[in-house]
Amino acid sequence: MFSLDAPAGGSTATRNPRRRQRTISDDSVALRQSSKRRKRSFLTPETFAPPNQLKPNGHLPAIHGVPEFNGHLPEARKHRDVSVDTTSLAIRNRGSKRIERERRGSKQDERVVQTKNDNYIVMQDPNIPDPLRDILSREPWQSEISSTLGHAVATTYNQAIIWCYRHGSSIDVPKPLVIKLPKLNPKPPSPLHPLPLGVLVHDSGAGEIALLVIMPQSGQVTYWESVKQAANADLIRQKQQVLMGSISGLLSGEAIMKITEAEPDGFILTTSNGRVVHLAVRDPQGRPQISTQYLRSNTTSGKGLLGSITSVFSAGSWRRDIAAVHTGPLQGKFHRTCIVATAQGLFQAWELARHSVKTLRFEVDVKDEVFAALQKSSIRDFTEDMKSDFSVLDFALFPKSEGTTEEYPSHRLLVLTCIKEERVGTYNLVDLRIWNGSVEIDVVHPITCYSEGQHPAQNWISFRTQLLLPEPAQMAFVILDKSIVLVSLARIEETPSSQIQIESHTLPDTFQEALHLRQYDHDYHVVGCCSEVIRTDADKATCTLLVHGFGMAQITTLPLKEGQTALERSTVTVKSKMEQAIFYGEMPYNLFDFNPGRSQFRIDDTELEAAALEINDSIMSSSSPYIPAVTPSMEHQLGLRATALAELINYTSRWSLKIETRWQLLWSAEKMTAAIAIWRTYNAQLSSRKQERETMLLPELLDMIHATEKVENRPERGETDIVRHYLIHDVWRIELVIPWAEKAVEELYDEGIRDPATQLSLINQAVDIQICSMEAAFAFRAANAEVYGLGKDMIEDGVYQGKYDVLPEPWTSILETLVNVKKLADVSREMALNHADTPGSEDGGVDFEIVKKIAADNPRVVHICCQVYDERCRWLKAQPDAQTKAEGDALIRVYHQVRRDLIVRISDLEMPNEGIKLAERYQDMQALVDVIERSTLQATERLAEPGLSESDELDYSLQLESNIKKMESYFTTYGSKWADVLYSNTIAHGAIADLFDKAGNFQKYLTLYFRGKPEYSKLSWINEVLAEHNYAKAADALMATQKQESSLWSKKIELSMGKLALLAAEEQETPQVKGDMAIKIIRRADRRMELIDIQDKIYAYVQPALMQALDEDARFKIAIEEFGLYTTKEMPTLTAIFEQNIAKLVSCQVLDAEDIIDILTLINDDIQHINDQGFSHQRFFLALKVLTLTGLGKLDPGRHELHEKIIWRRCMLIDDWEVLNQTEAKDDEAVARETGATALFQTLKTGFEDGTFDIIQPIPPSSILSAGTTVASLRTSSRYGNKSDSALKALAQDLEKEDRKLEDAIEKGRLEMWWKGIVEAAKTSAREDADRRGLEMAKMEMVKRKVAARLGLGGDKGEEVYTNGHVHDDVPMDEQGDTQMS
């Protein structure tokens, strides 16, 4: 049934002012036609739809909610207002017959395709009567379609409406007719009361369309021989023209269920109790008369297959479920065969003759044979106990199905069967032939595409499943209430390949497909159907459907293509299912639901992806048959393709597509969006160009693209529009257009187009092309990333933030695009700057408006450039090969510099705010600082210019104020990121004082900046002392500074100040330097000071020799010549080390501890001068002390051990032990004096005196051998970890030479034997000296006490008089140290 949204009532909608208002008489069902000239064209479905409720494509809107019994509307919807829209009324214009004829002739063209593939097409029939919309929106109704007449009838309780849905017959009803039904019951019908049954027939007597109406419960019959006369007559005349009667013999509660046309002027009626009635409307003489006859079977058990059944439709057996009743074609004038089938599988063949006895020719029970055939052919296993679930739903007679088998007539039937299993049903089509009590099964067609259970009937007149077999009987249509199943009956030709497939059980089933009516937002269900006979095309089968809430639709099968076989058509492809869903599924008010969840069709993921990409490619190249390649509106054509791409992803999103496939689909949609933007821009440029011959860039650049990278347009075929041709066929490679926008400008310049005005116009168009396409693409990606399964938050600024390792090169960031977008950003900016002050167009110059537009668009081009760079960097970095990764790293560095330059240069166009926005977007602090600095400088300079207007002065003043506010806000927004760059720029510009003077409320950021920048520790300690008053941090800064200090003097000062700051921090009781921590820090500083003191001693030793030098080079040469222990020839590596270190020494640079050790052990100490101060005797001890101060003994034992052995070896090699070993004619004093003068003795003695050797033991000569003489032994020291093997080999060779000298000293000079004696002698000498110093100190202490006693001082005051061994200046002393008394 239909369910209409048109409201009831008397209101009138807005009309077309050119059309006359309809009067009440115009709407009368008895409207008279005075002449053919006043005949109207047929009304469209939209005629009476109000403007705000008019559904596209002629849809009849469904009434929402669940309908009551018999099609009654819910109580709340019974009365609705009716608004009439006449915008689509086909009222004839008296002055234009041609327009009327065109409108009548275009009805076929108005049909809307609902779905289509290679096998069939479904179209909506617009021939819906407009009165039906008004009447049936208020009343319940039901309908019947007559395919032979091309008309349909809808009956309500009070009237019948007849309309023509297929034109061409000589008895066409010119317009919808409304016939009032006689009121047989004065009481109004209730919702449980069945609706009248109506059927249209061709009346043999009147030669016109007749109408039979039966009241199902009362059996009252009404027959009109001519519906035209009945519609035009009043009630009195209708009673005179109508034939009325009743069906006698109906039992209590029994009602008429179905009317089937039989022989002329006869009908077969089926009742709810399973009885069959023949109804005739003429007597034997041909006069109108109602008569009925019940068809009863008198057969005995010996006839047919029924066995003991004595009478199928007798009083004891008529209570059966009649599945279907169908009649065969007329035989002669008055004979026809009627086949009756029950749900249990009993078939009866009745011979019907006009005005004679109705004879049962035969009956046959086919249940056993059919069930056995199903067991053999079905893919399901049917057991015998399932036979009780078997039922016949409907059958159809094959055209020309009647024949003879011997002397008996036979009938070929196609039977629809169902075996119910819980909630599903198994459906089969059985091709069989029946004759006198026999049945022959020809073939079984299992229906595999549909297995849903039968929808339960809401009442006893609901639509029952029907089987249609329209000519040429190659396709069967199974019509269910909410689904339609198409099953091909075509025979597979026997070929060698098909035989092989049959033997291997791989032969596919013939074509079949299930179409499901839309339910999720519309309650579409079938209320009527019929087969159509198309005489003009015998290869097509057509059926017509009447669908509740939708209207009429026709399903037409399509013939095989040339060379195609039934086997090739048999497969329903994934691509075909997807195309239906994509191109038709989301049409407004489409009849079908293509949701794969409702389909039995199983889709493999691999097939799905392949089909999706194939459909995607066809859309992008306009090769899809579902989208017209050429339309009057290019934007409309692109929009259709964009919509199809959107539906493609909506459909495929139900599956888990590969990430690569999702990206391919997304990129295609982006390209289509970019193409639409390009066309809109180009279209606007065409509309706004000032001259017809103005050069348009887009056609030029498309012409420049190589022929292999586009589909060439062929003028001989009328393809003259290169832009439209490219957008139709080559959108899939539109990424080539983006870089060519700039390249084409260069090409045209080389070709001679150098006029500034034209150049600016071309650059403006190039900028427009790049901006509109790229902005549209990135915006689409950001808006639809989640739809394509890329994650909700994975797109930032249009750029994907996820993994690129599995993705091909993104089309938005190919190398050519990156290069040319950057180039266009520069070129457009420079052109705008160059022509900013040129004369205007009124003077024959450039158009200043274009100049301003190019300048205004530059920030957008810069933004696109940044997006392209960012995306390409991410993609390169994600690639697996090292070279591409390296390219990505290099491009990132380039990108940061390019981005900064482009953003900063925007200030040249006096658009600092745009540059600031971009810098903020990318959080590029350096660019942000530079833009603000430039803006501030520009505004300051402009304000200083004389003659500045008040408005300009105000603008620049506001800009300065805005800059200051922004700078302050950035401290809060970006924190240290902003402060670090700002302070670094300030220092780079030499405005260090401003850092301390203008820190203000942002002092904490300045402090954090200095603390995080060790290179600025010289400034940091000042900030800590002056601003933070944090002496501990000041000490840390000074200690950090001295580590980096290269100047020895500065290092000494910084260490001293650091120590002083530590002491101050300790007084402040700062937690960081409190207690033991302070002691450790001070000791560490003391050790560093000791290193500096030792370096000072070395410098003091060499400095006298350098006093005569004139410059640094001379000082260096003198130091090498005077103090070099070895020559380059003797020890090349050690000499090089010494020269490097002595150069630092003489230039007062800081030496590290190991460099000091090298100088101390390699310096020549033969030079004696007044400032020696015992350096020669102490240098090896000092080297050991330096080694101790480094702490390497704990941190790096291997490194410490190697240095220690080298120090001792060089100490032993200073003296000639072979000479010292010659003790002949020498007394002990001489020998002791000579050994006491050796460096070894002096070092040992100093160590014992210092107490150093109480902690570490001196190393004997034999334990020193081989130290550092191989590369492996040198590798034990971390000092040489980064040295090459060749460098270490050279060093090892020099050290090996030292080692050989030590071996000679041991062997020839008996150094090992001397060792112990010298150690003991040094220890004894050190002890004796210590005792002597102790006596002197005791004597001095006694003197101090005496002085204190004489002065009357006690305790500590006596120490003040005598300090450090000297009497205080104001206390006179004699030569013995006694105080002189006055």
Side-chain angles (χ1 to χ4, degrees), residues 81-99:
D81 294 335
V82 175
S83 297
V84 181
D85 173 34
T86 60
T87 56
S88 60
L89 281 173
I91 299 176
R92 181 178 60 84
N93 187 327
R94 293 175 180 265
S96 179
K97 294 183 179 180
R98 183 174 61 87
I99 295 177

Side-chain angles (χ1 to χ4, degrees), residues 334-359:
F334 307 112
H335 289 269
R336 180 175 291 188
T337 299
C338 174
I339 307 295
V340 179
T342 68
Q344 293 74 27
L346 178 66
F347 283 80
Q348 291 183 328
W350 291 83
E351 182 178 346
L352 307 179
R354 189 174 187 181
H355 314 309
S356 64
V357 178
K358 310 316 185 259
T359 306

Side-chain angles (χ1 to χ4, degrees), residues 928-1092:
L928 195 56
V929 169
D930 291 344
V931 171
I932 291 180
E933 285 186 352
R934 282 200 178 200
S935 171
T936 302
L937 180 61
Q938 289 175 350
T940 304
E941 292 176 349
R942 295 293 189 274
L943 288 172
E945 293 178 356
L948 194 66
S949 65
E950 291 184 1
S951 61
D952 289 342
E953 183 178 357
L954 178 60
D955 290 341
Y956 290 124
S957 298
L958 292 175
Q959 184 66 52
L960 286 176
E961 184 180 348
S962 173
N963 289 351
I964 294 173
K965 290 181 179 179
K966 286 180 182 294
M967 292 176 68
E968 293 177 350
S969 67
Y970 292 151
F971 282 101
T972 303
T973 304
Y974 303 115
S976 296
K977 288 178 62 178
W978 160 257
D980 290 355
V981 178
L982 178 64
Y983 294 147
S984 295
N985 263 36
T986 304
I987 293 173
H989 288 87
I992 298 175
D994 291 345
L995 290 179
F996 300 105
D997 296 340
K998 299 179 180 180
N1001 297 329
F1002 309 108
Q1003 174 62 45
K1004 66 176 183 179
Y1005 294 107
L1006 181 61
T1007 300
L1008 289 174
Y1009 172 75
F1010 280 135
R1011 289 177 181 177
K1013 296 285 185 180
E1015 62 270 24
Y1016 294 139
S1017 55
K1018 287 186 178 181
L1019 298 174
S1020 178
W1021 76 267
I1022 299 174
N1023 178 71
E1024 297 292 350
V1025 172
L1026 297 179
E1028 300 294 336
H1029 305 293
N1030 191 330
Y1031 297 109
K1033 289 294 184 180
D1036 290 342
L1038 287 166
M1039 291 302 177
T1041 301
Q1042 62 85 23
K1043 289 181 181 179
Q1044 305 168 11
E1045 189 60 67
S1046 61
S1047 171
L1048 185 64
W1049 182 85
S1050 298
K1051 188 180 183 72
K1052 185 186 299 185
I1053 297 300
E1054 289 159 359
L1055 273 173
S1056 300
M1057 294 179 66
K1059 187 175 180 181
L1060 183 62
L1062 284 170
L1063 295 173
E1066 192 174 15
E1067 287 187 5
Q1068 284 184 330
E1069 296 184 354
T1070 305
Q1072 293 89 335
V1073 291
K1074 194 174 182 180
D1076 294 340
M1077 182 60 68
I1079 295 174
K1080 291 180 180 179
I1081 297 174
I1082 292 174
R1083 284 179 178 176
R1084 193 181 305 123
D1086 288 341
R1087 286 196 296 269
R1088 291 170 181 167
M1089 288 296 293
E1090 285 188 64
L1091 290 176
I1092 293 176

Side-chain angles (χ1 to χ4, degrees), residues 159-424:
Q159 55 193 345
I161 305 171
I162 299 100
W163 76 94
C164 177
Y165 72 90
R166 188 184 69 243
H167 304 287
S169 172
S170 60
I171 56 174
D172 280 357
V173 175
K175 70 170 186 176
L177 301 178
V178 179
I179 299 175
K180 296 291 184 179
L181 300 181
K183 293 184 179 180
L184 303 177
N185 189 348
K187 296 183 179 180
S190 67
L192 296 178
H193 195 72
L195 287 163
L197 300 177
V199 63
L200 296 173
V201 294
H202 181 263
D203 187 85
S204 59
E208 295 188 19
I209 296 177
L211 172 64
L212 173 70
V213 176
I214 298 178
M215 299 300 173
Q217 286 185 317
S218 64
Q220 297 294 326
V221 179
T222 307
Y223 182 74
W224 289 270
E225 292 181 329
S226 173
V227 295
K228 294 181 181 179
Q229 295 179 7
N232 293 328
D234 54 25
L235 290 177
I236 298 177
R237 294 180 59 190
Q238 278 191 11
K239 290 181 180 180
Q240 297 173 354
Q241 297 174 359
V242 71
L243 177 65
M244 303 184 68
S246 64
I247 302 171
S248 61
L250 289 177
L251 302 177
S252 176
E254 187 176 20
I256 305 300
M257 295 286 294
K258 179 73 175 175
I259 304 175
T260 304
E261 183 184 0
E263 89 285 347
D265 305 321
F267 304 89
I268 298 294
L269 313 180
T270 58
T271 72
S272 58
N273 287 354
R275 295 199 289 173
V276 182
V277 183
H278 179 269
L279 170 69
V281 295
R282 293 189 182 276
D283 61 11
Q285 287 74 36
R287 292 172 298 187
Q289 179 182 345
I290 302 295
S291 63
T292 59
Q293 177 184 352
Y294 286 88
L295 303 185
R296 305 180 186 275
S297 172
N298 296 321
T299 57
T300 63
S301 61
K303 293 184 179 181
L305 302 176
L306 299 180
S308 61
I309 301 178
T310 58
S311 179
V312 178
F313 293 104
S314 63
S317 61
W318 49 258
R319 290 185 179 275
R320 296 174 180 269
D321 183 9
I322 303 296
V325 175
H326 294 290
T327 57
L330 276 172
Q331 301 170 2
K333 282 189 176 181
F334 307 112
H335 289 269
R336 180 175 291 188
T337 299
C338 174
I339 307 295
V340 179
T342 68
Q344 293 74 27
L346 178 66
F347 283 80
Q348 291 183 328
W350 291 83
E351 182 178 346
L352 307 179
R354 189 174 187 181
H355 314 309
S356 64
V357 178
K358 310 316 185 259
T359 306
L360 176 64
R361 299 297 303 271
F362 64 85
E363 62 183 12
V364 57
D365 189 346
V366 303
K367 182 174 183 178
D368 292 338
E369 287 80 358
V370 171
F371 191 81
L374 296 181
Q375 288 179 312
K376 294 179 181 179
S377 61
S378 177
I379 59 176
R380 304 287 302 275
D381 294 329
F382 296 129
T383 58
E384 286 297 324
D385 58 352
M386 298 175 65
K387 186 180 292 187
S388 60
D389 298 322
F390 170 87
S391 63
V392 173
L393 301 181
D394 196 7
F395 71 92
L397 286 84
F398 279 90
K400 303 178 182 179
S401 63
E402 295 191 9
T404 57
T405 303
E406 300 175 353
E407 71 276 13
Y408 302 106
S410 64
H411 303 276
R412 184 184 175 194
L413 310 178
L414 184 67
V415 181
L416 173 63
T417 67
C418 175
I419 298 178
K420 298 179 181 179
E421 299 178 72
E422 296 180 356
R423 298 182 179 179
V424 299

